[in-house]
Amino acid sequence: MLSLLDSILSILVIAEFVLGNFANVFIALVNGINWVKKQKLSCADGILTALVVSRICLLWVILLNWYATVFNPGFYSSGVRTIIYIAWVVSNHFSLWFGTSLSILYLLKIANFSSLFFLHLKWKAKRVVLMILLGSLVFLVCHLAVVILEGKMGMNEYKGNSTWVTNLRETVHLSHNTVFTIVYVMPFTLSLMALLLLIFSLWKHLRKMQLSGKGSQDASTKVHVRAMQTVISFLLLFFIYFLAQIISKWNARQNNLVGIFQVLGLLYSASHSFILIWGNRKLRHAILSFPW
């Protein structure tokens, strides 16, 4: 028999799962149809499509984990837990880094700086994003290695010095939590830097427009503001997700607290896709014409 809190959290999980899948599948379908029609896909649309696909996988993994934890604990053996967690690590990694790459791409495409280094990065925007995604695989490999090691230690019973085994398990667990935290800190820091540079670029642009006696409502200003709104919303939801996952990881014994923060964490995957639809003119037009 489920408690009242578990019932409420389960309803929220299902609602967020349904809404999140609707938004992500919608984005994937719109970009897929445009790709078939035009026989090409822009870099931004390609990253966005990969992002929503990773989030669809992430939402299904979270739902499966919730079902196994709340409704069928007997199914949640040590081996199954490790497999589900590995699936979550992979889908979560690509969800975070594709979102971060989208923020960096906005920065390189929209911001205007006279620095030769920035102009070089702007000219090679696709390559820069690709290198960031490839570099992020280092964090994924390290994370998976620690997860697999901790999973094997949890399934195997080691004989010998029990103190040594306990210390080893504590070291592996601490390493896992440390890697887990770094995995979130790096993309959040990059996204925050992209936002700050966008704000600085907009400030310089507005100052230039004022000195020249022109109005501030030009096309460049509107593009800056739209990109900043998208990145700010991403960072706010990312921070909630980051906080929820860190608290859940470091306080795994408090089941009620973990469940609440897992539900809050789902807001990141479910609601950010709607913000992306609102911030993209093509997607916004498509969803407004969808009822017709």
Side-chain angles (χ1 to χ4, degrees):
M1 190 69 179
L2 294 179
S3 65
L4 178 61
L5 179 61
D6 287 337
S7 300
I8 294 174
L9 293 179
S10 297
I11 293 173
L12 292 176
V13 166
I14 294 173
E16 292 173 350
F17 172 80
V18 172
L19 292 174
N21 270 287
F22 169 78
N24 289 313
V25 170
F26 177 81
I27 295 174
L29 285 176
V30 172
N31 286 338
I33 292 172
N34 287 331
W35 188 10
V36 172
K37 286 182 178 179
K38 299 180 180 180
Q39 298 298 314
K40 64 178 181 179
L41 196 66
S42 67
C43 183
D45 287 341
I47 295 175
L48 185 57
T49 304
L51 172 63
V52 298
V53 170
S54 65
R55 284 184 175 168
I56 291 172
C57 297
L58 179 61
L59 286 169
W60 277 97
V61 171
I62 292 176
L63 182 68
L64 179 60
N65 177 71
W66 183 265
Y67 167 78
T69 303
V70 177
F71 296 97
N72 194 3
F75 169 77
Y76 216 29
S77 63
S78 180
V80 172
R81 184 185 295 109
T82 301
I83 293 173
I84 292 178
Y85 190 66
I86 289 175
W88 178 84
V89 167
V90 174
S91 57
N92 181 68
H93 171 88
F94 287 110
S95 173
L96 293 178
W97 281 98
F98 279 128
T100 302
S101 299
L102 197 61
S103 300
I104 295 173
L105 185 65
Y106 286 154
L107 169 67
L108 296 177
K109 291 292 187 180
I110 296 172
N112 292 311
F113 296 106
S114 57
S115 170
L116 293 178
F117 178 70
F118 182 82
L119 292 175
H120 178 73
L121 293 179
K122 191 179 184 72
W123 180 257
K124 302 289 185 179
K126 293 182 180 180
R127 186 174 298 179
V128 171
V129 171
L130 180 60
M131 293 302 296
I132 290 174
L133 290 174
L134 291 177
S136 71
L137 295 179
V138 175
F139 297 102
L140 177 60
V141 172
C142 294
H143 199 177
L144 287 176
V146 177
V147 169
I148 293 173
L149 179 60
E150 189 176 31
K152 287 184 177 180
M153 293 193 66
M155 288 185 293
N156 297 329
E157 292 293 335
Y158 291 93
K159 297 180 180 180
N161 192 330
S162 59
T163 304
W164 180 84
V165 173
T166 302
N167 291 336
L168 180 60
R169 286 179 176 174
E170 290 179 353
T171 302
V172 172
H173 183 69
L174 180 61
S175 301
H176 184 193
N177 289 349
T178 303
V179 172
F180 185 89
T181 305
I182 294 174
V183 163
Y184 283 93
V185 169
M186 287 301 296
F188 181 82
T189 303
L190 290 175
S191 298
L192 182 60
M193 290 174 59
L195 174 62
L196 294 177
L197 289 173
L198 275 172
I199 294 174
F200 183 60
S201 175
L202 177 61
W203 175 77
K204 287 186 62 178
H205 175 72
L206 292 176
R207 186 180 179 185
K208 181 179 179 182
M209 296 294 289
Q210 289 176 355
L211 292 176
S212 62
K214 298 180 180 179
S216 60
Q217 296 300 319
D218 64 323
S220 180
T221 302
K222 293 179 180 179
V223 171
H224 270 83
V225 172
R226 180 74 69 176
M228 284 171 51
Q229 290 173 341
T230 304
V231 177
I232 288 173
S233 61
F234 169 70
L235 275 174
L236 289 176
L237 292 170
F238 189 2
F239 179 76
I240 295 173
Y241 185 63
F242 168 73
L243 186 64
Q245 296 301 324
I246 294 300
I247 293 178
S248 298
K249 188 64 181 175
W250 289 88
N251 297 274
R253 295 180 180 179
Q254 301 181 24
N255 295 328
N256 292 335
L257 183 64
V258 171
I260 293 172
F261 278 100
Q262 282 182 349
V263 172
L264 289 175
L266 273 174
L267 287 173
Y268 165 72
S269 299
S271 58
H272 183 240
S273 298
F274 285 99
I275 296 174
L276 290 173
I277 293 174
W278 172 80
N280 187 296
R281 184 174 58 182
K282 176 182 64 179
L283 295 173
R284 186 169 65 251
H285 176 74
I287 200 167
L288 290 177
S289 60
F290 178 75
W292 302 101

